[in-house]
Structure formats: C-alpha cells, structure tokens
RNA sequence: GUGCCUGUAGCUCAGCGGAUUAGAGCGCUUGCCUACGGAGCAAGAUGUCGGGGGUUCGAAUCCCUCCAGGCACGCCA
C-alpha cells in the first residue's frame, strides 16, 4: 500500500534539488525531514507542506517565492495532480482523481489485508504485556496494560512484522508463598477446620471459591499438604482465570515466560558473570560515593551486596543486583530476561509498563548496554495509572486486601468493546480516570457504537442489494461525488496513522482515526443513497462499490482495535 | 527536596511549532422518524488552552518560573 507523505516528501526534495540545479533556488543543504501532512484546509488541497516557510531563511528568499520555485520543479507522479502555492508559503498538493478512485478497488482487492505495509516484512517482533503475577484476578489496571499491548501487537502485524505476544511472570517469590498459605487456610476453613489467614494474607473472596472447588475435587485429602501444593493449585486457578478474562477482551498470548526458568537454566548467574567480566560490577556495603549517613545506617554485621555500576551508563545511582543475603534483586533476572529476548532474535520489542516501572526499564536498558547489546530494539510503552471513581469517590485498589474492581466485572457491566475503546481512546500518557457509575450509565452512549454502526450500515446495504439483485459489477467510479471522494481521501490516511502509532508508540491515534472516519461516514450515508428509487442504476453501482471499500476499512479498523465488527446491531 | 507524567468546553479527552474561526465524544438547545437498521442526520450555545515571563515570521504546542494533581526516588516486585 502507498504511504503518501514520504512519497510526497521525496518529490518535494527532488523539486528543491532541481530548482537549485536550474538556478531557481540558491544552493543550501536540505533538512533531513520534509514535513508533509494531510491538509487542514481541504478546499486548498489534499496534502500540505510548510517546507518553504522553513527553507526561506536558508534560501534568503521570501517563503512564497521559495514555494513557487518548488512548485515549478515538482516532478510528475501518478498520484499527484497539482502542486500549488498559498500564503504565507504553503505548498498544497492535490491528489490525482483517477488515482484516488482506483484506490477504492485496491482496498476491496486487499480485503482483510487492506493498508498492510511492509515496514516490518521479514522481521520478528514481540510484545510483552500484562505480566501480572498469578496472585489474583486481573484488575482494570492490568486491563489498560493488556489493551495497549495487544493493540500495538495488531499494529505491528499490520506493518508486516511477525508478532508474538508474551506474558512474563514470577511464581517463586514471597507473594506466591503467602498466596499458597492463604489458600491453605481457606481450604481448612472450607473443611470446617480452624485456620487463619497469614498476617499479610490474601483476603479476597476468590480464594474461598478456589478452596471450595478443591474440597469438591479432593475432599479432605489435601489437609496435610504443605503450602507449596496450595500455591500450585492457586497458581493454576489464577492463570485459568486470567487467560479466560484476557480472551474476553480479545487478548491472547503465544508464550507464558516463567522468570524461574532464568534461574533454572543458569542465565541469571551467567548475566551477572558477564557484567562482572566487563567490569561493571562491584561488591560493597553501600554504593560507591555514598555519604557517611548511609554508611552509618547499616547494621554492624552488614554484609556486602553486589552492585551494578549503572552510573557509567548515565544513571543517577548504582543499582543492587544481588542482595547481601545472596539473593538477586528483580533487576538481575530482568536484565537476563531481556538478554534472552534479544537472543531469541526479535528485531523489535515492546514492553508495556505502568508509570511506576520507568526506572526499572531504564536500568534494564543500561544493563543491556553494559553487556554489549544494543538496547535500541527494546521499546517501552509507559502508561499512567488508572484511577477508579465510584460513587464520586476514588477507589484504592489492593489485590492482597481483596479490594479491587476486576476486569470481568467491568466487562460484564459495559461490554468488552466499550472497555477496549475507552482505554484506547486515551494517550498512554494520560492519567485515565474511570468513573464506573458513568461508564455503566452511558454504556450505550458511546463512540464505540457510532464506529461499529458504520460497519453495520455498510453490511446492511449489501444485504439489501443482494435481495434486490444489485451488484457493483462494472461500476463507473467517476460518477462519485465530492463527499464520497473526501471520504476516500480520509480512508487513504489510514496507513499514515498506522505508521504514527508505531513510531510514537501511540495506539490511541488509531482509535481517534476510527472515530474521525465514522464522522465522515454517517453524513455521507445519509445523503449518498444506493437503493433509493431516485438513484439511477449506474450511480447505484458506483456507490455500492464505494461502500464495499468502506466496509473493508471499518472492519479492518475495528479488528486492529481488538473490537468486534458486527453485521447487525 | 529531585526526576518523570498531567493540567484544553459542564464532564471525559484529542491536538504538542504552522494556514488569526482551538477540536471530538457525552451532556445541553432547536429541527428531521413513509428512504439501504434513527445506536442516525441538520443547525446551535459553551473555552483567560492552570498563572506569569520569554524565544519565533507564527506558541495550546518550544524555553524559564510559579501553582495544582499522579507516579517514582528500597539490598520490594
């Protein structure tokens, strides 16, 4: 598929060079990037470039003159009809109409692959997201993570990457032990035996349910099993739940990667040795350069920890890799994990993390550099926290205390598509405020339905057309009017939007684009009828063809957003 | 205290250097239900773009500063 702005930019670049060669513009070095964007003034052109405004200084000419010189030397291209100049110095480009109309057929021919790009062709990408430890059900915080991750994965696939989704988890730590102990206590209680949750135990009802199921399956046979057995049972139950929840909102993983495997195959310690061999590690009671106060805080029998000299790589302070107890911190296995990812040969990695993990991501990147890896393929999407409002009050969540709003509850209330869209229609940088009451109340007053309805309406036209025996065979697209052509121009922006989402790690742009396109669609639908008696047959065929392309594009958009594309509503 | 994110219409949010009218959804006002599913269409009201300085031909957008909120500053994960 064509990606217009870069192609137009290279035409402009060629025009500047030609103008210079002809003495129409003085010699100067061109900037690396030439801006081209869809025009904000459709009556002036389809795409616009302010390049002349920027070059005016280099050329020591007035912007309008520079723009005129560029316009005079624009090479011809099949998709360009004209390049015009407008004050204060814009270069406006109009697309060739017959090329434009031909794109309708190109979209229909591409079908589910419409606007597929080849940026990632032959390359492998991996998206790691959610990565919640199996201590409880998924909450809406995890949902934001997964929705962002899965949408980025879809976008990468549209760019031609072979994409894998991966879920990283830890089932070995203290939290999992407490989870096992908590389940054991619930199991005893379910048997009518006296038992209390451990001090920091998991208080949620969900473990009561798991315990009840264990009793149903095993009776009292597990009574004397150690907590480890219950940890396994809890983990199994939680993962089953988590996977089911994720499937409900269209998120599926290819791989569940256990942090523990990095210990089992020795890669955690190999990573430490490699860092040490490169001289980026030291053993000390406190970090190098620490003040006396820090040293004074240590107990007299303090032992040395193993430190990563992260300051070499721009960090403000060095980080502990191995505690004085001999146990690694989370940083070391995390570096080992990323080494593992790179060694698996992925060309492009995305890691979706909450705002509280920014430092972790930076430390991992520095660790990779220290090991001689280029961290460039590793991309981190940081999203700000989700705040839940219910009854006008902010709800503080805690998995351990059993205080949370599960994703399942939310999906049951408003539906999977609304949940996904609500999350996607925000920049990851925005602090998402989720008013549960409002979401429930307005579950049906939602842009989601507006977008989906565009697809429904297209499908409806084809249903009706089939009944009346109308087809778009031999459609003469030149009969289409200006409103229809404007819609086509907007459809053709989709590949640019996909590239923007990719380059800026900003999946929300696709959600906004889908709404924009729908806002162009519905007024057109109202005016540009296919099956009305007054519409001549040849015009009806042309319009039907257009709606065929619209249907393809809306389906494509909804699918990429992880939402359903219904035929009827 | 330091770093990162945020502050735009009543509410939730786009826009983050370019075209002197700043956008969308929801909500609100007024029309349109004998036309392909009205979960729609048409018209309308609503803004010191947090405050104040600066840079620029041009600033919601870049820089400085102040104010307000979130997150992070662990040998926790």
């Amino acid at each position: 598929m064509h990606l217009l702005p870069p192609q137009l930019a290279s035409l402009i670049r060629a025009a500047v060079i030609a103008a210079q060669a002809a003495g129409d513009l003085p010699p100067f070095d061109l900037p690396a990037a030439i801006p081209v964007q869809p025009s904000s003034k459709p009556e002036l052109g389809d795409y616009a470039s302010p390049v002349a405004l920027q070059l005016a200084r280099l050329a020591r000419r007035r912007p309008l003159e520079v723009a005129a010189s560029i316009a005079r030397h624009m090479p011809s291209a099949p998709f360009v009809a004209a390049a015009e100049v407008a004050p204060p110095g814009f270069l406006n480009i109009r697309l060739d109409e017959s090329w434009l109309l031909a794109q309708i057929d190109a979209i229909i021919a591409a079908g589910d692959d419409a606007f597929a790009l080849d940026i990632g062709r032959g390359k492998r990408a991996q998206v790691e997201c959610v990565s919640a430890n199996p201590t409880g059900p998924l909450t809406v915080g995890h949902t934001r993570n997964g929705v962002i991750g899965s949408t980025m994965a879809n976008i990468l696939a549209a760019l031609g990457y072979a994409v894998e989704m991966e879920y990283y988890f830890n089932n070995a730590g203290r939290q999992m032990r407490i989870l096992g102990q908590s389940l054991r206590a619930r199991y005893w209680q379910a048997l009518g035996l006296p038992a209390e949750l451990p001090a920091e135990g998991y208080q949620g009802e969900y473990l009561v349910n798991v315990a009840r199921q264990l009793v149903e399956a095993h009776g009292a046979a597990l009574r004397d099993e150690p907590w480890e057995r219950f940890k396994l049972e809890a983990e199994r139950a939680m993962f089953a739940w988590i996977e089911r929840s994720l499937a409900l909102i269209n998120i599926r993983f290819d791989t569940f990667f256990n942090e523990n495997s990095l210990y089992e195959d020795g890669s955690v310690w190999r990573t430490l040795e490699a860092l040490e061999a490169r001289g980026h590690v030291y053993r000390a009671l406190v970090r190098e350069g620490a003040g006396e106060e820090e040293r004074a805080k240590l107990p007299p029998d303090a032992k040395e920890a193993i430190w990563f000299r992260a300051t070499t790589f721009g960090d403000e302070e060095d980080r502990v890799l191995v505690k004085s107890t001999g146990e690694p911190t989370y940083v070391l296995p995390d570096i080992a994990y990323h080494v593992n990812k790179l060694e698996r040969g992925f060309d492009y990695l995305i890691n979706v993390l909450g705002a509280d993990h920014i430092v972790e991501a930076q430390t991992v990147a520095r660790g990779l550099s220290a090991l001689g890896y280029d961290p460039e393929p590793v991309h981190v999407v940081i999203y700000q926290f989700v705040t839940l409002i219910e009854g006008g009050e902010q709800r503080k969540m805690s998995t351990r205390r059993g205080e949370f709003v599960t994703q399942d509850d939310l999906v049951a209330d408003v539906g999977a598509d609304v949940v996904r869209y609500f999350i996607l229609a925000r920049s990851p940088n925005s602090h998402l405020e989720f008013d549960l009451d409002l979401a429930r109340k307005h579950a049906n007053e939602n842009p989601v339905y507006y977008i989906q309805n565009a697809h429904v309406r297209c499908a409806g036209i084809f249903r009706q057309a089939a009944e009346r025996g109308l087809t778009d065979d031999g459609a003469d697209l030149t009969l289409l009017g200006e409103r229809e052509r404007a819609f086509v121009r907007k459809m053709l922006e989709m590949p640019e939007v996909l590239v923007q989402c990719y380059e800026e790690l900003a999946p929300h742009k696709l959600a906004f684009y889908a709404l924009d396109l729908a806002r162009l669609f519905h007024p057109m639908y109202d005016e540009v009828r296919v099956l009305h008696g007054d519409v001549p047959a040849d015009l009806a065929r042309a319009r039907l063809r257009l709606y065929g392309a619209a249907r393809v594009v809306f389906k494509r958009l909804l699918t990429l957003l992880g939402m359903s594309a219904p035929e009827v509503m």
Side-chain angles (χ1 to χ4, degrees):
Chain A
M1 199 65 208
H2 301 269
L3 201 51
L4 286 169
Q7 294 189 71
L8 295 171
S10 61
L11 290 180
I12 292 171
R13 178 178 297 276
V16 173
I17 291 168
Q20 288 177 325
D24 210 6
L25 282 177
F28 54 82
D29 291 330
L30 272 98
I34 291 177
V36 178
Q37 58 214 218
S39 180
S40 56
K41 300 261 175 183
E43 63 277 15
L44 294 178
D46 299 323
Y47 284 81
S49 175
V51 67
L53 290 159
Q54 291 172 354
L55 295 180
R57 174 173 299 191
L58 289 169
R60 299 188 181 175
R61 299 269 175 83
R62 300 215 320 249
L64 272 175
E65 292 173 25
V66 175
S69 298
I70 295 173
R72 266 196 299 278
H73 291 90
M74 276 287 277
S76 64
F79 47 92
V80 176
E84 290 151 7
V85 172
F90 282 93
L91 193 65
N92 289 315
I93 295 160
R94 215 172 282 281
L95 296 178
D96 182 82
E97 291 291 318
S98 58
W99 178 86
L100 186 80
L101 294 173
Q103 301 316 301
I104 293 172
D105 291 327
I107 289 167
I108 293 169
D112 286 344
D113 292 324
F115 300 121
L117 296 161
D118 56 9
I119 290 174
R121 188 190 292 162
K123 295 185 198 157
R124 291 174 60 217
Q126 187 221 57
V127 177
E128 183 220 319
C129 59
V130 186
S131 296
N133 289 336
T135 57
L138 289 183
T139 67
V140 296
H142 304 126
T143 307
R144 187 174 198 187
N145 190 313
V147 167
I148 291 172
S150 60
T151 306
M152 281 309 301
N154 294 343
I155 289 165
L156 288 172
L159 293 177
Y161 281 99
V163 187
E164 291 177 33
M165 286 276 284
E166 184 153 303
Y167 187 119
Y168 181 63
F169 70 99
N170 171 357
N171 63 353
R174 182 182 112 91
Q175 290 308 319
M176 290 301 290
R177 190 191 75 225
I178 295 172
L179 182 76
Q181 292 166 341
S182 301
L183 179 59
R184 187 166 190 267
R186 291 301 193 194
Y187 176 75
W188 277 52
Q189 289 170 357
L191 291 172
L193 300 168
E196 280 184 28
L197 286 178
E200 307 255 313
Y202 285 85
Q203 298 176 25
E205 275 292 305
Y206 61 92
L207 283 186
V208 176
N209 296 331
V210 176
R212 193 178 305 132
Q213 286 161 16
L214 284 180
V215 171
E216 281 166 18
H218 303 279
L222 305 179
R223 208 180 85 167
D224 299 318
E225 291 285 330
W227 65 264
E228 285 89 343
R229 171 64 193 273
F230 288 93
K231 190 209 84 169
L232 270 176
E233 295 290 348
E235 181 181 336
R236 190 181 309 159
M238 290 310 115
F239 264 131
W241 191 354
I242 287 170
E243 284 195 73
R244 204 179 331 121
S245 300
L246 289 169
L248 280 179
I249 57 166
N250 250 323
I251 302 176
R252 270 164 242 285
F253 285 92
D254 301 295
T255 313
F256 283 77
F257 192 102
N258 190 340
E259 176 184 331
N260 207 242
S261 68
L262 297 167
Y263 287 92
E264 285 163 358
D265 70 7
S267 51
V268 168
W269 300 113
R270 272 202 305 280
T271 300
L272 181 65
E273 285 160 17
L275 281 168
E276 191 153 28
R278 288 169 169 265
H280 300 305
V281 157
Y282 59 90
R283 282 150 220 275
L285 288 172
V286 294
R287 62 174 55 88
E288 286 178 352
E292 274 310 307
E293 321 84 70
E294 255 178 88
R295 199 173 292 271
K297 273 189 278 183
L298 289 167
D301 59 343
K303 295 193 177 113
E304 289 186 323
I306 302 178
W307 298 77
F308 167 42
R309 200 174 278 112
T311 46
T312 308
F313 301 92
D315 207 340
E316 317 167 321
E317 53 187 39
D318 296 337
R319 310 282 170 180
V320 173
L321 294 174
V322 181
K323 306 181 219 172
S324 54
T325 59
E327 272 179 302
T329 62
Y330 67 92
V331 175
L332 184 56
D334 219 5
I335 295 172
Y337 177 45
H338 281 80
V339 169
N340 178 293
K341 287 187 189 179
L342 290 173
E343 293 291 336
R344 273 187 273 166
F346 292 111
D347 302 287
Y348 190 96
L349 294 162
I350 286 183
N351 198 353
V352 184
L353 294 173
D356 55 338
H357 286 80
I358 296 176
V359 174
E360 171 185 356
Q362 290 168 339
T363 308
V364 167
R366 292 183 172 110
L368 291 174
S369 299
L371 289 166
Y373 289 93
D374 180 0
E376 195 280 325
V378 182
H379 298 80
V380 181
V381 184
I382 297 286
Y383 63 93
Q384 300 297 322
F385 277 17
V386 178
T387 315
L388 278 173
I389 312 281
E390 192 168 31
E393 302 262 317
Q394 188 172 328
R395 284 194 61 170
K396 288 279 179 197
M397 299 209 280
S398 157
T399 300
R400 194 186 48 71
R401 291 201 309 270
E403 292 167 12
F404 46 74
V405 177
T406 64
Q407 176 186 292
D408 291 356
D409 291 342
L410 195 60
V411 169
D413 278 348
V414 301
D417 290 335
V418 171
V419 169
R420 281 198 70 110
Y421 189 83
F422 192 86
I423 288 170
L424 280 173
R426 274 148 190 79
S427 154
N429 273 338
S430 99
H431 302 263
L432 199 167
E433 202 163 282
F434 209 137
D435 190 319
L436 292 167
D437 304 315
L438 226 53
R440 289 175 188 130
K441 192 171 147 210
H442 297 298
N444 291 318
E445 299 148 3
N446 204 292
V448 171
Y449 301 107
Y450 191 74
I451 298 166
Q452 289 178 323
N453 193 219
H455 184 261
V456 168
R457 286 179 144 181
C458 291
I461 294 171
F462 277 88
R463 252 194 324 274
Q464 285 285 326
E467 281 174 21
R468 300 186 198 186
L470 175 72
T471 71
D472 64 0
D473 290 346
D476 175 8
L477 295 174
T478 61
L479 296 173
L480 294 175
E482 196 37 53
R483 174 156 242 162
E484 298 90 291
R485 291 169 193 233
F487 182 77
V488 174
R489 282 187 263 270
K490 189 69 183 176
M491 286 198 293
L492 293 178
E493 287 177 26
M494 182 165 161
E496 300 150 40
V497 173
L498 288 171
V499 170
Q500 271 182 44
C501 291
Y502 166 67
E503 288 177 343
E504 299 169 31
L505 299 170
H508 69 283
K509 300 207 167 191
L510 194 59
F512 278 95
Y513 170 75
L515 182 58
D516 276 353
L517 192 65
R519 280 173 14 85
L520 238 44
F521 175 87
H522 288 293
M524 175 175 79
Y525 173 90
D526 221 48
E527 189 179 278
V528 183
R529 297 279 161 169
V530 178
L531 302 168
H532 189 242
D534 293 347
V535 181
D538 55 346
L539 192 56
R541 277 195 292 274
R543 290 177 172 179
L544 190 61
R545 176 78 56 89
L546 170 75
Y547 283 113
R551 176 160 73 163
V552 165
V553 172
F554 279 113
K555 176 158 185 217
R556 180 82 160 129
L557 278 168
L558 288 164
T559 305
L560 287 173
L561 294 170
M563 290 157 53
S564 61
E567 300 271 318
V568 287
M569 267 167 50

